[in-house]
Amino acid sequence: MTVRAFGSPVEALQWLGDNAADLIITDYKMPEMNGAEFIRALRRLPHAADAPVIAITVHEERSFRLKALEAGATDFLTSPVDHHEFVTRSRNLLTLRQHQLLLARRAETLARELADSERSRERAIRDSIERLAQVIDTLPVLISAVDREGRTLFVNAFQTDFFGIDPAAVIGRTMREHMGPENAQRDHSLDRLVFSTGKALPAYEEELVSKDGERRSFLTTKTPLHSHAGAIEGVLTSSLDITANKRTEQHLRYLAHHDSLTGLPNRALLFDRLRQAITRARRGDNLFALHLIDLDGFKSINDVRGHSVGDRFLKSISAQLAEVVREKDTLARLGGDEFAILQADVGSSADAAEFAARIGQAIASFQDAELTGARATASIGIAMHPSDGDDAEEILRNADLAMYKAKAEGGNVFCLFASDMQTRARAAATLDTALRHAIDHDEFVLHYQPQVAIGTREIVAVEALLRWNRPGHGLVSPGAFLPYAEENGLIIPINEWVIRAAAEQAKAWQMQGLPAFRVAVNVSPVQFRKRNVPLFIARTLGETGLEPRRLELELTESIVMQDLDEVANDLREINRLGVAIAIDDFGTGYSSLSYVKKLPVQRIKIDQTFVRNMAQDPNDAAIVRAIIMLGHSLSLDVVAEGVETQRQLERLEGDGCDVAQGFFLGHPVPAAEIPRLFAWPTSGARTA
């Protein structure tokens, strides 16, 4: 094989004017003319009119591909070019070119034999046609010819065997019934194009179905057939079977872009998805976030249990993570114990943080009966586009920095990237000091939001909601400091203060003679992991003298799913004290009968995201009805959160919901305002 290279398209065209080439490879972006102009010029040269041409470009836009193909390019590759793909496509085109040249040489031989002797003209024509037909029949290529009406003039043995047809029956008829209507229509349109232009078509790939129903890939070309007078009398179609090459190409592409252990996308494919996400974001799509995940306890599993157990653990963790991601997200393994998730359509950093929390929970709660004792947590770094980087390299690098910061903080946490991590660290230290000061100097206060029985419109409970009366900042909502408090452990003394303060206030209302409504308090997952909640509740009830029936604990689904059996035991102890249990934010997590029926709970609270849109969104309305039916089937009361309109309240009443809570029924207010809601005097305590 001989390869010639040229520094400019003009030099190449000059050489092609006097020489023939079996395969031409050109870049799209060149000096003096672009790839489309170059291809258009060489197609006008006698020696290059039907030579296959591969165009290469770094441009991903579809318009560049169309320009090159319209100019006469045979195939198209995007730079950087995959070596295996390039070799496969080049080999296919060279093979097809070989067959074309073989047919041309046979035709030339026939012409010479005809010119040798006028006396043997008829015999020479007959012999040459027979030999040519024999050669064509032996080629492993689908070969056929049709006239202007689409009637078959010739079909070789390979094609008749492929479609399972009788050669004599198809001559003079169309191939529509054998190729299928869709393929036949396309084939006829391309034949008409050859008749109208008088030029051969560049090779194209197509799929055809054999007589056995097998789909196979072919590389097809169409060339005009001329009469002695030069008129186009037919179109010759030849199709080379490239199924094996396509399968090899697909397998190699899969191996190049996927992790061999887990089958997940690898770093290369993640990088490509990142670039695509950046392109879509620039066109107006939503933000996206990259989560880098490093397993905290994996090294000990490998060291103690061996690499085979470690590999099984990694495969199980990848399956666990696959249940967290959505179809539009990308889960990848970068190597070792490091994974990544490209989260699409992120509204804000809060959305990314919530998703990271679910990732950490999924890993921390993972259990496998065959991997007893093999547990791990995760350090997660988050970078968002465009705030944390304009290109894939920068986003990946910044997510990596955030992940290492999470590692430095002890692991089992997530960390959002900040342009100045030192500034964030100083801010965290300041918040840490301020929270400790708040605990020591009683800066926290509780506000209470009423819960109303829908049927009677009577207040049956209030939910205690934490506020921080931070000096110089005013009242600070819990979302600004509780996530950090959960990371550094301060949530435990804060949560204990909330429970005790709520119990003391409930006892004060009891002494005032207010009706026996409940006070609901949220319990942190961190506090519940310490397994001392029942003891603390018993001590609090004893010290405050509060009737247990006036206290209710609200738990999120993530708490009860950490260790279902242990949590169920704790909840039974709390129930034996006389304290009620409610599942908060029901519907946003697992929301499964399989765990609800195992737990000694008295209420479930429908998350406000479903209530807010139930009047407009039939799906949310259906979810609300289903949760109410689920709760009642288990003899549980159902509380709807986030009720903000009369219409929502009426819909809930129609669906049979028991209790409602939201701004329409009452905003969170200081403790002093609660007696007024009952039209009760605020002083002069009475015994309930």
Side-chain angles (χ1 to χ4, degrees):
M1 179 182 294
T2 302
V3 178
R4 293 190 63 89
F6 301 93
S8 74
V10 173
E11 294 177 10
L13 289 172
Q14 291 174 348
W15 188 85
L16 288 169
D18 301 315
N19 300 275
D22 295 316
L23 176 62
I24 301 170
I25 302 168
T26 178
D27 200 347
Y28 193 94
K29 185 177 181 181
M30 298 183 295
E32 302 172 315
M33 64 180 71
N34 61 35
E37 294 168 341
F38 170 74
I39 296 170
R40 200 172 291 111
L42 71 86
R43 287 302 186 205
R44 293 194 291 266
L45 300 176
H47 297 294
D50 57 354
V53 179
I54 298 178
I56 300 175
T57 181
V58 297
H59 299 291
E60 296 182 354
E61 284 82 0
R62 187 166 177 264
S63 61
F64 290 96
R65 181 188 295 267
L66 291 175
K67 289 178 182 178
L69 293 176
E70 288 171 357
T74 309
D75 207 344
F76 193 96
L77 292 173
T78 303
S79 179
V81 177
D82 182 272
H83 174 73
H84 297 289
E85 181 179 10
F86 175 77
V87 170
T88 300
R89 291 178 181 268
S90 299
R91 183 170 56 244
N92 291 341
L93 291 173
L94 286 171
T95 302
L96 185 61
R97 181 63 171 168
Q98 252 185 335
H99 292 312
Q100 291 175 329
L101 294 176
L102 175 61
L103 292 174
R105 285 196 294 271
R106 292 295 182 184
E108 291 174 1
T109 301
L110 175 60
R112 285 196 300 269
E113 290 178 353
L114 290 172
D116 285 344
S117 174
E118 185 66 27
R119 185 186 308 169
S120 59
R121 182 173 180 273
E122 291 182 2
R123 181 170 58 84
I125 291 175
R126 184 176 60 254
D127 292 345
S128 297
I129 291 175
E130 290 176 356
R131 287 196 296 271
L132 182 59
Q134 291 173 1
V135 170
I136 293 175
D137 275 340
T138 61
L139 292 175
V141 181
L142 304 179
I143 301 176
S144 62
V146 297
D147 62 14
R148 288 184 174 274
E149 282 69 42
R151 296 186 295 259
T152 303
L153 299 174
F154 170 82
V155 61
N156 73 337
F158 189 79
Q159 183 157 335
T160 57
D161 181 66
F162 180 83
F163 287 115
I165 56 179
D166 180 5
V170 79
I171 299 300
R173 302 175 60 187
T174 69
M175 294 285 289
R176 181 181 180 86
E177 60 186 89
H178 305 292
M179 299 180 65
E182 184 177 340
N183 283 339
Q185 180 61 41
R186 185 188 66 241
D187 198 62
H188 181 67
S189 298
L190 293 175
D191 288 339
R192 300 308 305 169
L193 183 60
V194 175
F195 278 118
S196 63
T197 63
K199 297 180 180 179
L201 297 183
Y204 59 92
E205 292 183 8
E206 63 177 342
E207 278 193 348
L208 298 174
V209 181
S210 71
K211 62 184 178 184
D212 302 319
E214 181 184 6
R215 300 187 71 88
R216 300 189 68 83
S217 299
F218 289 88
L219 189 64
T220 300
T221 60
K222 288 182 176 292
T223 55
L225 293 177
H226 296 87
S227 66
H228 292 294
I232 300 176
E233 294 185 337
V235 174
L236 176 69
T237 302
S238 57
S239 301
L240 175 67
D241 189 345
I242 58 171
T243 305
N245 293 338
K246 293 288 288 185
R247 289 172 180 168
T248 301
E249 179 183 332
Q250 292 170 359
H251 181 63
L252 291 174
R253 186 180 294 111
Y254 179 86
L255 292 179
H257 292 92
H258 289 80
D259 173 55
S260 59
L261 176 65
T262 63
L264 295 175
N266 61 12
R267 184 181 294 269
L269 184 52
L270 174 68
F271 199 84
D272 184 61
R273 299 275 175 84
L274 268 172
R275 290 191 298 182
Q276 293 177 23
I278 291 171
T279 301
R280 289 193 299 269
R282 289 171 179 168
R283 292 171 179 169
D285 280 10
N286 292 334
L287 306 177
F288 66 84
L290 178 66
H291 302 255
L292 278 192
I293 306 161
D294 189 89
L295 302 183
D296 295 327
F298 178 71
K299 186 176 185 300
S300 62
I301 296 175
N302 253 354
D303 293 344
V304 177
R305 310 283 293 274
H307 288 281
S308 60
V309 173
D311 286 349
R312 175 178 170 81
F313 183 75
L314 289 173
K315 292 171 70 174
S316 299
I317 286 292
S318 68
Q320 186 85 350
L321 290 173
E323 296 181 3
V324 177
V325 301
R326 303 160 300 176
E327 185 176 350
K328 57 187 173 183
D329 300 329
T330 297
L331 168 63
R333 181 184 177 219
L334 306 186
D337 60 349
E338 194 173 19
F339 295 83
I341 296 177
L342 178 59
Q343 180 190 9
D345 297 339
V346 179
S348 65
S349 59
D351 293 339
E354 189 275 334
F355 185 68
R358 285 197 284 125
I359 295 171
Q361 174 62 32
I363 294 175
S365 62
F366 167 73
Q367 297 184 57
D368 189 323
E370 297 184 27
L371 295 173
T372 305
R375 304 290 290 273
T377 56
S379 297
I380 304 171
I382 309 167
M384 298 185 63
H385 175 80
S387 59
D388 299 334
D390 290 328
D391 56 47
E393 294 93 341
E394 187 178 8
I395 294 171
L396 196 60
R397 181 173 61 252
N398 290 339
D400 201 45
L401 287 173
M403 184 270 289
Y404 276 107
K405 184 175 184 296
K407 277 283 189 188
E409 293 180 359
N412 196 24
V413 296
F414 63 83
C415 179
L416 287 158
F417 173 78
S419 57
D420 187 347
M421 301 298 282
Q422 292 182 350
T423 300
R424 181 178 287 272
R426 286 194 295 269
T430 300
L431 182 58
D432 184 282
T433 302
L435 282 174
R436 295 180 190 278
H437 184 275
I439 295 170
D440 295 338
H441 294 80
D442 203 23
E443 293 177 0
F444 294 113
V445 295
L446 292 179
H447 285 190
Y448 299 88
Q449 186 173 30
Q451 297 178 358
V452 177
I454 295 179
T456 63
R457 300 299 195 267
E458 295 179 352
I459 297 175
V460 294
V462 295
E463 181 179 358
L465 300 170
L466 180 64
R467 302 290 186 267
W468 178 13
N469 191 11
R470 186 177 182 182
H473 295 77
L475 285 180
V476 180
S477 64
F481 61 88
L482 281 188
Y484 178 75
E486 290 194 342
E487 290 180 16
N488 64 8
L490 291 177
I491 189 64
I492 295 175
I494 292 175
N495 214 171
E496 289 181 349
W497 179 90
V498 170
I499 295 173
R500 182 179 296 277
E504 290 174 349
Q505 183 59 61
K507 178 62 177 179
W509 286 326
Q510 179 183 338
M511 296 301 294
Q512 287 180 251
L514 266 67
F517 60 89
R518 300 182 308 278
V519 177
V521 182
N522 291 281
V523 181
S524 164
V526 176
Q527 184 176 15
F528 227 88
R529 282 199 292 266
K530 294 190 66 177
R531 298 281 182 257
N532 65 351
V533 177
L535 179 61
F536 178 76
I537 296 299
R539 187 169 64 247
T540 300
L541 292 173
E543 292 174 352
T544 61
L546 178 66
E547 294 180 10
R549 65 191 178 98
R550 292 182 179 248
L551 182 63
E552 179 174 87
L553 301 184
E554 293 189 0
L555 291 75
T556 61
E557 293 179 85
S558 62
I559 295 178
V560 300
M561 291 306 296
Q562 288 174 0
D563 192 334
L564 187 58
D565 294 334
E566 290 294 333
V567 170
N569 290 334
D570 285 351
L571 296 185
R572 277 189 283 270
E573 289 187 37
I574 294 171
N575 270 176
R576 281 193 286 268
L577 294 173
V579 176
I581 303 295
I583 302 297
D584 197 12
D585 299 332
F586 193 85
T588 60
Y590 302 90
S591 309
S592 169
L593 279 170
S594 63
Y595 85 80
V596 175
K597 68 182 182 181
K598 293 182 180 179
L599 298 174
V601 300
Q602 287 69 52
R603 286 168 199 84
I604 54 177
K605 299 185 70 177
I606 306 174
D607 187 73
Q608 60 183 336
T609 56
F610 302 114
V611 176
R612 183 181 299 119
N613 298 320
M614 64 178 295
Q616 298 82 28
D617 190 334
N619 293 326
D620 284 344
I623 292 172
V624 170
R625 284 195 299 272
I627 294 175
I628 294 171
M629 293 175 62
L630 166 65
H632 290 168
S633 69
L634 297 174
S635 300
L636 303 177
D637 288 340
V638 181
V639 182
E641 296 183 288
V643 178
E644 298 178 352
T645 66
Q646 177 70 32
R647 187 179 180 190
Q648 291 170 350
L649 187 63
E650 291 172 352
R651 291 290 295 271
L652 290 167
E653 185 173 16
D655 291 337
C657 187
D658 303 298
V659 179
Q661 175 182 348
F663 290 165
F664 181 73
L665 300 165
H667 288 256
V669 296
E673 300 291 327
I674 293 299
R676 296 174 186 169
L677 299 179
F678 291 92
W680 209 263
T682 58
S683 61
R686 297 190 295 157
T687 302

